[in-house]
Amino acid sequence: MFEHIPPFAGDPILSLNEDFQKDPRPNKINLSIGIYFDDAGRIPVMDSVKRAEAIVVAKGGPKPYLPIEGAANFRSAVQDLLFGADHEAVTSERVATIQSVGSSGGLKVGADFLARYFPGSQVWVSDPTWDNHRSMFEGAGLTVNTYPYYDPANGGLKFDAMRAALRGLPAKSIVLLHTCCHNPTGVDLTRAQWEALIPVLRERELIPYLDLAYQGFGDGIQQDAFAVRALAAARVSFFIANSFSKSMSVYGERCGALSVVCPDARQAALVLGQMKFTVRRNYSSPPIHGGQIVATVLTEPELRRDWERELGAMRERILAMRRQLHGVLAAKVPGRNFDYFLTQRGMFSYTGLTSAQVDALRETHGVYMVRSGRICVAGLNNANVEATAVAMAAVLGA
Ligand code: LMR
């Protein structure tokens, strides 16, 4: 019956993480998957999240199906977080938000919606992007292309080429943009660059699709939402999928949302209705537990304050690791410029290592990173950063 089914090639990120778990070497270092580890190399249980969960459990009660679109308190807390309290787009009810199964679930619901209602549109993703973006949009039946983004010459952004490419796209093209902490490169647009890009998105009538998986890991919770608020203020219609996996360390709870900013409340109601239809025929409705933890953290003032402080400490730790990695590498490989480790933001950095060098790092030194040369900086800690830099210097021939 199933002989004709080809074997799954594996996922470039998740399979690597599984290989790491199986590696018996005691000094192995995992810089593969985008998970925040603390300085002891553990996935943290954030205190604010633990207390919120205790509140949710103490409330108890039955567990009915949530509405298709998710819990009302979760959805409104997400809107406040993304747009800021009392943003005009929210108060005029022109944002349609659903609770989703992680931001991946939201991305896919949005992709299915776009494939159905914009069948002539194609998708444009940054070169490079998160490996799963292409799979998801292609899985929805959309054609996926790339626009220029990362500049290997200097570890920065090809902004002029990016803007020129977007300017040349047909109207209603779908443009996937990383709101902050670009995955996999760590290279973000500056505020000035967003401000220069927004008129292009608006005038060319493009459909921006923002991915916000790392809010708070770049420059701060508010700062990282800059593009969301600027696009909404410019009255651009756009999609945004956001995640709490990393920012609340609740990966397996699958907590995310999809919001669509529309021209007016009437259109937002139409969009919400069809997103509900998409959800209903996929998984019917989202789970309760994780979403209620997230909503409690976001809406209880004390928990909210503590969460922001804890997330700030995570952000600072990543920055400290960037500085340490840069310091050792700059000393060991003096002929090479590693300043991009300091300018890139968020969990990821593109190291510039070739796939052969990445393989050598894994095989000889037990350091795991994605074959594109991406490292998860949040996998570094005081106990392994020096060893990582020494191993990297070795494969670079220093
Ligand atoms: C990553 O890029 O490593 C994370 O977003 C985890 C994933 O699902 O790929």
Side-chain angles (χ1 to χ4, degrees):
M1 183 66 82
F2 303 117
E3 282 298 337
H4 61 293
I5 295 175
F8 175 43
D11 179 85
I13 297 170
L14 302 184
S15 302
L16 189 64
N17 189 49
E18 284 163 15
D19 291 348
F20 174 83
Q21 308 301 338
K22 289 185 214 138
D23 189 328
R25 288 175 286 183
N27 295 330
K28 60 187 178 174
I29 296 170
N30 189 5
L31 309 179
S32 63
I33 194 163
I35 289 183
Y36 178 88
F37 296 93
D38 64 16
D39 200 50
R42 288 183 301 242
I43 298 176
V45 179
M46 295 170 81
D47 190 55
S48 50
V49 174
K50 194 159 65 180
R51 279 154 50 213
E53 182 160 32
I55 293 172
V56 171
V57 171
K59 267 190 202 150
K63 294 191 185 293
Y65 293 121
L66 282 181
I68 299 172
E69 67 275 24
N73 62 343
F74 176 93
R75 294 165 58 227
S76 86
V78 165
Q79 292 187 341
D80 283 356
L81 181 72
L82 294 180
F83 298 93
D86 303 324
H87 190 289
E88 172 279 324
V90 175
T91 54
S92 58
E93 298 182 6
R94 60 185 184 91
V95 184
T97 297
I98 60 160
Q99 177 180 343
S100 61
V101 182
S103 63
S104 296
L107 278 169
K108 182 59 164 59
V109 170
D112 286 344
F113 174 94
L114 286 163
R116 187 173 171 96
Y117 292 103
F118 296 85
S121 295
Q122 296 194 0
V123 183
W124 299 78
V125 298
S126 59
D127 178 21
T129 193
W130 181 47
D131 290 303
N132 210 25
H133 279 148
R134 177 178 284 277
S135 304
M136 277 184 171
F137 285 102
E138 285 180 348
L142 291 155
T143 301
V144 180
N145 313 278
T146 57
Y147 58 81
Y149 192 81
Y150 177 71
D151 190 346
N154 56 19
L157 179 65
K158 287 181 178 165
F159 180 70
D160 291 341
M162 172 188 182
R163 187 170 53 167
L166 299 190
R167 201 179 262 144
L169 297 185
K172 309 281 192 305
S173 294
I174 301 152
V175 182
L176 197 287
L177 295 157
H178 299 235
T179 319
C180 69
C181 307
H182 184 269
N183 180 3
T185 67
V187 176
D188 287 338
L189 274 71
T190 62
R191 285 187 176 207
Q193 287 168 335
W194 278 113
E195 273 157 5
L197 195 68
I198 287 171
V200 175
L201 299 169
R202 193 180 49 219
E203 283 151 27
R204 296 297 310 152
E205 289 180 47
L206 304 177
I207 306 176
Y209 199 142
L210 269 51
D211 186 346
L212 180 53
Y214 300 93
Q215 188 174 6
F217 284 94
D219 295 314
I221 293 170
Q222 308 300 328
Q223 294 88 328
D224 291 350
F226 173 77
V228 183
R229 296 170 190 187
L231 277 163
R235 298 202 69 90
V236 176
S237 295
F238 66 98
F239 288 60
I240 170 155
N242 75 296
S243 171
F244 296 97
S245 297
K246 284 86 172 162
S247 62
M248 292 200 190
S249 197
V250 290
Y251 304 87
E253 292 288 356
R254 310 308 294 132
C255 297
L258 173 68
S259 300
V260 185
V261 180
C262 304
D264 56 40
R266 196 184 58 82
Q267 292 183 49
L270 296 173
V271 169
L272 183 66
Q274 289 304 326
M275 292 202 303
K276 286 166 63 171
F277 182 43
T278 308
V279 168
R280 176 64 174 152
R281 52 188 186 160
N282 272 287
Y283 55 89
S284 201
S285 61
I288 295 183
H289 187 72
Q292 285 309 298
I293 298 172
V294 169
T296 306
V297 171
L298 292 177
T299 54
E300 291 287 333
E302 213 174 290
L303 296 179
R304 172 69 176 256
R305 193 197 56 214
D306 291 352
W307 169 64
E308 294 196 5
R309 206 189 50 236
E310 288 181 277
L311 183 52
M314 289 156 82
R315 178 171 63 246
E316 289 302 322
R317 201 190 79 72
I318 293 176
L319 287 170
M321 287 303 117
R322 287 184 174 280
R323 287 192 289 271
Q324 283 197 41
L325 184 66
H326 174 266
V328 181
L329 277 170
K332 291 218 173 291
V333 194
R336 197 174 158 121
N337 186 347
F338 294 100
D339 288 355
Y340 52 84
F341 281 124
L342 304 175
T343 51
Q344 295 168 353
R345 278 290 168 277
M347 281 201 188
F348 302 112
S349 266
Y350 240 30
T351 58
L353 265 58
T354 63
S355 49
Q357 289 166 333
V358 170
D359 290 345
L361 261 181
R362 188 181 62 253
E363 283 157 18
T364 315
H365 304 274
V367 178
Y368 282 67
M369 62 173 74
V370 182
R371 291 194 83 226
S372 60
R374 181 193 89 167
I375 58 168
C376 176
V377 186
L380 293 171
N381 57 50
N382 276 303
N384 71 18
V385 61
E386 171 102 20
T388 300
V390 169
M392 283 173 67
V395 301
L396 285 166

